Amino acid sequence: MVYSSLLFIYGFLPVSLILYYITPKKFREMMLLFLSAAFCCMISLYFLIFIAVFAAVNYIFMHLISRSRRNEKLSAVPLAVGIIIDLVAVFAFRTEFFTWLHRMIRAPEGFYPVGISFFALGAVGTLIDVYKGRIKADRNMVRFALYIMFFPRLLMGPLLRYRVFTNILSNRSESLSEMGVGMTIFVKGLAKKVIAADNLYMLYTAARSGDVSEISAVTAWLGAVAYILCLYFELSGFADMGTGTAYLFGLKFPQSFNYPLFSIRLKYFAARWQSQVTQWLRRYITKPIYGVCSKRLLREIVFIMGWGLFGFWYTVDLGGTVWGILIGTAVIIESRLLKKKIMNFTGMIYTFFTVVILGVFLSGDSLGGSVRYLFAMVGGNGILADADGFYLVKTYIVLLLVTMYASTDLFRNLMTRTGRNKVKAAVMAVSPVLVLAVLMLCTAVISYSGSSDMLLMKL
């Protein structure tokens, strides 16, 4: 079950809200944990057992680290063991090299612990924070288990530090206005997934269906653009649905994607794309290394390697790692070359095309295949355009233009800068009707095509 399924939208979510709000306030955290367990169970009973054991193991190691903190060397032992267990859990299910472990724990064939890349990093960060003395080991196991398995952030984050999550949990704002905001964010994310991402995926698969050595440059570019737009709407759509769901329960989660694709600089793209994950990498990996690197060049290398780790986190293969390294390198080159201001529009164009070109490494099945695809994009196959390319342009041009505009913050900025209260009031007045109309449209699309559960990446 995913957020974009009819079972979740019209079954699990409304029932969950009713159960939550009829529960006395002092027991609502317990109810959230119960609902999260039910969500995990609806994905798979084995998944519920897996994530419950994962939370219990990390809770134990968190307290082992806390109790042995007086002896730094001694406390490093449970820290190291806990981190190794968490990382092995990630690699065991995101690579093909741990089939022996699958057999040992008797994992069902095809089993995948959804969201493991997020809750594993969250657990590792918590263990490190306890070791460093930044936070105290929480005795409240309900809160810790909720941190690991809270269903609105299970599929696509956001990746929050434990202290941030508990602060949000303690300062819940439960009101009809917050529920209205949450529903708007949820439907926005649903539209991103069902209307934008799924249709862009059709364009992407059509463009990539032919032999890479025979496709035209136009077709290759269409596939590359469709992929990066599809990836953005897919990931940010699920992130918005999770954030909107959290708002319905009074929890205000931060955005994971802040319109990154058409940023005016690559460094802003790097800061706005899956921002909580990049902040995690900076806090726990690159920043500590910066402390022992006095030279600028060494810090830049660390920054590039940090982005390489980010790319590896996405795909757990060489292609993703290369993508991350190239993104980091591009940001460094930009910081060295673009000393003067350039036009915002020019920056948006070069940022978008840089992201599209480098995204080929993220989408490719192999490094060699990605290089061949880039070769096709520059006309290396000797075919600039063909009938297939023109057909795809004619069929999907409206979708591409609309989704490219929707991936910018132009409309949001327009509404922010306008001084006409009447315009804002009119938009606010029609918003509930518009949200309901979009929800009905998405429902019709899902009903026609089946449950929308395609994921480009298993995170």
Side-chain angles (χ1 to χ4, degrees):
M1 180 174 65
V2 293
Y3 306 144
S4 57
S5 67
L6 295 181
L7 176 61
F8 179 85
I9 299 170
Y10 294 106
F12 183 83
L13 184 56
V15 171
S16 296
L17 289 170
I18 293 171
L19 291 175
Y20 177 76
Y21 282 103
I22 65 174
T23 301
K25 286 191 176 182
K26 64 179 180 179
F27 297 120
R28 284 183 178 176
E29 287 186 17
M30 184 73 75
M31 176 54 69
L32 286 177
L33 181 59
F34 170 77
L35 294 173
S36 298
F39 181 85
C40 294
C41 188
M42 293 181 74
I43 294 175
S44 164
L45 177 59
Y46 199 89
F47 176 56
L48 173 60
I49 297 171
F50 177 91
I51 198 169
V53 171
F54 184 92
V57 168
N58 278 275
Y59 180 82
I60 291 170
F61 275 98
M62 177 176 67
H63 283 275
L64 288 175
I65 293 168
S66 179
R67 291 182 179 182
S68 58
R69 274 201 68 241
R70 292 181 181 179
N71 187 325
E72 186 175 346
K73 292 183 179 179
L74 182 62
S75 62
V77 175
L79 172 68
V81 175
I83 290 176
I84 289 171
I85 291 173
D86 291 339
L87 294 182
V88 166
V90 174
F91 283 101
F93 292 98
R94 296 199 65 193
T95 66
E96 299 178 354
F97 305 112
F98 285 81
T99 53
W100 58 270
L101 183 59
H102 297 189
R103 291 193 298 268
M104 187 174 71
I105 64 175
R106 298 182 180 180
E109 186 176 355
F111 168 73
Y112 182 77
V114 178
I116 189 170
S117 297
F118 290 97
F119 62 74
L121 287 189
V124 169
T126 303
L127 296 181
I128 294 174
D129 284 344
V130 172
Y131 175 78
K132 293 288 187 180
R134 295 167 182 159
I135 62 172
K136 294 182 179 179
D138 198 338
R139 294 181 179 275
N140 189 336
M141 189 170 184
V142 171
R143 281 202 159 192
F144 185 78
L146 194 56
Y147 172 68
I148 297 294
M149 59 195 298
F150 186 43
F151 73 92
R153 60 185 291 263
L154 193 59
L155 298 186
M156 200 53 65
L159 177 58
L160 303 175
R161 288 182 287 121
Y162 186 67
R163 178 183 291 173
V164 173
F165 176 79
T166 53
N167 286 341
I168 293 173
L169 194 62
S170 298
N171 295 284
R172 296 193 299 276
S173 177
E174 300 161 349
S175 65
L176 288 175
S177 61
E178 295 298 336
M179 293 185 72
V181 173
M183 198 63 202
T184 301
I185 297 173
F186 180 88
V187 173
K188 175 185 173 183
L190 183 64
K192 283 183 176 181
K193 172 68 182 74
V194 174
I195 298 175
D198 286 358
N199 285 291
L200 286 165
Y201 186 73
M202 292 173 64
L203 171 57
Y204 166 70
T205 53
R208 296 293 294 258
S209 60
D211 190 336
V212 70
S213 63
E214 297 178 357
I215 62 174
S216 67
V218 170
T219 303
W221 272 99
L222 284 172
V225 171
Y227 175 82
I228 207 68
L229 286 171
C230 177
L231 184 65
Y232 166 72
F233 283 105
E234 179 86 8
L235 300 184
S236 68
F238 273 111
D240 284 351
M241 283 185 272
T243 299
T245 302
Y247 262 80
L248 294 175
F249 294 96
L251 283 74
K252 298 180 180 180
F253 285 168
Q255 285 185 318
S256 296
F257 296 85
N258 188 19
Y259 301 100
L261 290 184
F262 286 91
S263 301
I264 59 174
R265 297 287 188 279
L266 277 171
K267 69 175 182 178
Y268 297 140
F269 165 83
R272 296 173 179 177
W273 182 275
Q274 204 88 47
S275 55
Q276 282 78 35
V277 180
T278 55
Q279 289 168 12
W280 188 96
L281 289 168
R282 182 165 58 249
R283 179 181 177 85
Y284 295 106
I285 296 178
T286 58
K287 189 176 179 180
I289 300 176
Y290 284 161
V292 296
C293 297
S294 57
K295 294 184 179 180
R296 179 182 178 182
L297 178 60
L298 291 177
R299 291 193 171 197
E300 289 175 343
I301 292 173
V302 171
F303 176 83
I304 292 170
M305 292 301 102
W307 264 89
L309 284 174
F310 182 41
F312 181 76
W313 176 82
Y314 259 126
T315 61
V316 197
D317 63 21
L318 184 59
T321 306
V322 170
W323 172 80
I325 290 173
L326 292 176
I327 289 288
T329 303
V331 172
I332 295 299
I333 293 173
E334 178 190 73
S335 68
R336 284 183 173 269
L337 297 182
L338 294 182
K339 300 294 185 182
K340 298 180 180 180
K341 291 184 177 181
I342 62 173
M343 293 178 61
N344 288 350
F345 181 76
T346 304
M348 290 167 62
I349 295 299
Y350 97 80
T351 296
F352 179 71
F353 277 100
T354 301
V355 172
V356 168
I357 292 169
L358 299 185
V360 172
F361 291 97
L362 200 60
S363 65
D365 296 328
S366 65
L367 197 58
S370 298
V371 172
R372 289 192 293 273
Y373 195 86
L374 285 172
F375 188 67
M377 288 174 67
V378 297
N381 293 335
I383 312 171
L384 294 179
D386 58 8
D388 291 339
F390 284 122
Y391 172 78
L392 292 176
V393 170
K394 182 176 67 174
T395 305
Y396 289 98
I397 186 62
V398 174
L399 174 67
L400 286 173
L401 293 176
V402 170
T403 52
M404 287 173 72
Y405 177 79
S407 61
T408 70
D409 58 358
L410 295 177
F411 180 78
R412 184 186 66 175
N413 290 343
L414 178 65
M415 294 305 302
T416 301
R417 293 172 183 174
T418 182
R420 299 178 181 179
N421 292 328
K422 291 183 178 180
V423 175
K424 293 182 179 179
V427 172
M428 293 297 293
V430 301
S431 290
V433 177
L434 182 60
V435 168
L436 183 60
V438 174
L439 178 60
M440 293 300 99
L441 176 60
C442 292
T443 300
V445 173
I446 298 172
S447 299
Y448 176 76
S449 60
S451 62
S452 178
D453 56 1
M454 179 273 297
L455 277 172
L456 288 175
M457 290 182 178
K458 285 186 174 181
L459 296 175

